[in-house]
Amino acid sequence: MDCTYRKLLKIHLVTSTESLEFTHLARALSQSSLVGLDAEWKPQRSHQSNFPTVSLLQLACQPGPRFNPESDESNASVVFLLDLSSIPLPSIWELLKELFVSPDILKLGFKFKQDLIYLSSTFCSQGCDIGFDRVDPYLDITSIYNNLHHKQLGRKLPKETKSLANICKELLDISLSKELQCSDWSNRPLTEEQKNYAAIDAHCLIEIFNIFQVKVAQKGNSCSSISELDSSNLDLGLKGILEKPDIGNKTVRFKLCEALDIIRATSYYSQCSPEGVVTRVSYLNTMPMDESLVKIVRKYGEKILLRECDKAPKTSKKKGKKRSSVIVDCREKRLDDIGDWQGPPPWDLSLGGDGYPKFLCDVMVEGLAKHLRCVGIDAATPRSKKPEPRELIDQTSKEKRVLLTRDAKLLRHQYLIKNQIYRVNSLLKNQQLLEVIETFQLKISEDQLMSRCTKCNGRFIQKPLSTEEAVEAAKGFQRIPDCLFDKNLQFWQCMDCNQLYWEGTQYHNAVQKFIDVCKLNE
């Protein structure tokens, strides 16, 4: 993730309803017309009878025109991380319930229905019997993307939904790393990396929507300016407002807003009367959306509604005899045993190998492949983007590699290529690298660092190029920054893809990083 983008975010970790951060949250929600929603939970390793427990709820707020610039939330980028493992859930249920159904706040999400199901289950387990069953108005980022790039250009909608990382790269030109998505979000305290990841995941939803809003305005969907209504209209009753003669749907919209204010003033925000009649008091003192936002909600708005069948984990409908838990446990244990490395690897000299480690990293550990290349290890990736298991097995066998994966199902093919499949246990790339080094007893030296092409896994030319030679080699293929011309640098070229590298700041930072990760100084 771009460090500049990360620094622009103002992040509040809310761990208590008595904290200053919670006060900021309530104020920001009351002054926001847009809120980006996301949630994190500890990943489940296998099918379980209960939904995961949500550990963190992210709320990215974009204050409206009534926002006070002198407050702590003066930054337009404000993200609140609600630590659901620390806050008593009943104490915030009303606030969140009101947020989810507030007609004055457009909620944004990316496939948020699943998050809402897990969130509702989490709150129900803590004494909030009703949970959550509705988010309205709502707009999904996938719908925004389809409207921007498919319907707009006359293209057919894709069969498969693009990932949020791909949408961010295309629309915002930022790389959204999903490495921490599968980390253990139930551990406390959260790391700074987890906080930044969680905040960016929610805030990018608002950034994408802002692009969409500009596009809508450019297409002529923004509301034209109209004269303000006479303030004396507020003295009329609800019936009077709706019966006033007028022309144009735009003015009718303002009538409805006036009517809504009257309804709120007489019920939603009422206090206890002397006679003891108690009416509900709102947690969010919001105001109606501006006209341009209302237009978008009318035309593109959605809602999430949970049915009773959504609130229970899905059970298998396959007919047949139910396998005993003993058989299932034994099978899972066998798979775990297979995942443990047995050895020797195919490059072992005793098997006729050349002694040089070679790996094939499937799509689940592509990041590990680049890390292995950075420390000088031959690490290939599948030839196709979505390879079938048979393709992976064939490539592994022909090239005499060890297949690295996190897919337990691939372990079932172990019998086809003995001692050539290893299941990586670690989630983060640095830990995965150390796990592979330790498991296969790889010898890493400082001389090996950055000795392979991180793009294609190729080897570098033996003789470095001068600046003039590098400029000639890069013509029509790669741009060399002008600031390098005055420096006496050596350039190295990949023999396979012709990518050029030089020993600049990025190179030296990478070398130092892997010296630290692999503990080469110890």
Side-chain angles (χ1 to χ4, degrees), residues 115-321:
D115 299 52
L116 185 65
I117 291 172
Y118 293 171
L119 195 64
S120 180
S121 172
T122 300
F123 273 75
C124 285
S125 67
Q126 296 297 319
C128 304
D129 295 336
I130 302 177
F132 305 107
D133 59 3
R134 183 186 185 94
V135 176
D136 182 27
Y138 171 77
L139 192 53
D140 200 283
I141 293 303
T142 55
S143 300
I144 291 177
Y145 178 81
N146 290 336
N147 277 290
L148 281 174
H149 287 270
H150 297 283
K151 290 182 179 178
Q152 177 180 325
L153 301 177
R155 303 175 187 170
K156 291 183 178 180
L157 295 180
K159 294 182 179 179
E160 296 183 1
T161 303
K162 272 203 169 189
S163 68
L164 182 58
N166 288 336
I167 293 176
C168 284
K169 183 64 179 176
E170 185 172 336
L171 298 183
L172 305 179
D173 195 27
I174 59 173
S175 299
L176 190 64
S177 173
K178 305 300 288 184
E179 181 182 348
L180 291 170
Q181 185 179 32
C182 295
S183 61
D184 189 350
W185 291 93
S186 64
N187 280 344
R188 291 297 180 270
L190 294 172
T191 65
E192 288 302 315
E193 290 77 11
Q194 284 179 309
K195 294 176 187 176
N196 286 326
Y197 166 85
I200 292 168
D201 234 21
H203 179 71
C204 69
L205 306 177
I206 290 182
E207 292 293 303
I208 293 171
F209 176 82
N210 288 338
I211 293 176
F212 175 64
Q213 191 173 22
V214 170
K215 294 282 186 181
V216 170
Q218 290 174 348
K219 287 172 61 178
N221 288 342
S222 59
C223 296
S224 59
S225 60
I226 61 175
S227 59
E228 295 184 2
L229 297 178
D230 189 347
S231 59
S232 62
N233 290 335
L234 295 176
D235 296 329
L236 296 173
L238 174 59
K239 182 179 179 181
I241 289 176
L242 295 178
E243 288 181 348
K244 282 188 304 180
D246 209 333
I247 56 174
N249 292 332
K250 296 182 180 67
T251 308
V252 171
R253 210 274 303 174
F254 275 87
K255 288 184 178 182
L256 294 176
C257 288
E258 291 178 72
L260 182 60
D261 287 338
I262 291 178
I263 294 172
R264 285 176 172 155
T266 57
S267 62
Y268 204 55
Y269 299 105
S270 297
Q271 303 293 332
C272 296
S273 64
E275 290 78 12
V277 178
V278 181
T279 56
R280 184 174 172 226
V281 179
S282 173
Y283 281 79
L284 300 176
N285 187 16
T286 57
M287 294 293 288
M289 299 178 187
D290 61 56
E291 192 174 357
S292 62
L293 206 54
V294 170
K295 292 279 286 184
I296 290 178
V297 171
R298 282 181 184 169
K299 187 170 183 178
Y300 304 100
E302 311 165 39
K303 64 179 69 174
I304 300 177
L305 295 175
L306 298 188
R307 300 168 297 174
E308 285 302 318
C309 60
D310 293 324
K311 299 181 181 181
K314 297 293 187 296
T315 56
S316 176
K317 297 182 179 179
K318 293 183 179 179
K319 296 182 179 179
K321 293 183 178 179

Side-chain angles (χ1 to χ4, degrees), residues 384-423:
S384 60
K385 291 185 177 180
K386 296 182 179 180
E388 295 293 330
R390 175 60 67 177
E391 296 177 59
L392 293 173
I393 299 300
D394 289 345
Q395 185 176 351
T396 301
S397 178
K398 290 177 181 178
E399 299 177 9
K400 295 184 178 180
R401 298 179 179 274
V402 168
L403 175 59
L404 300 178
T405 182
R406 283 189 49 78
D407 188 355
K409 294 179 181 179
L410 281 176
L411 299 178
R412 299 169 184 170
H413 302 278
Q414 180 75 281
Y415 69 95
L416 294 174
I417 46 174
K418 186 178 181 182
N419 295 334
Q420 285 186 252
I421 302 181
Y422 176 72
R423 184 186 181 192

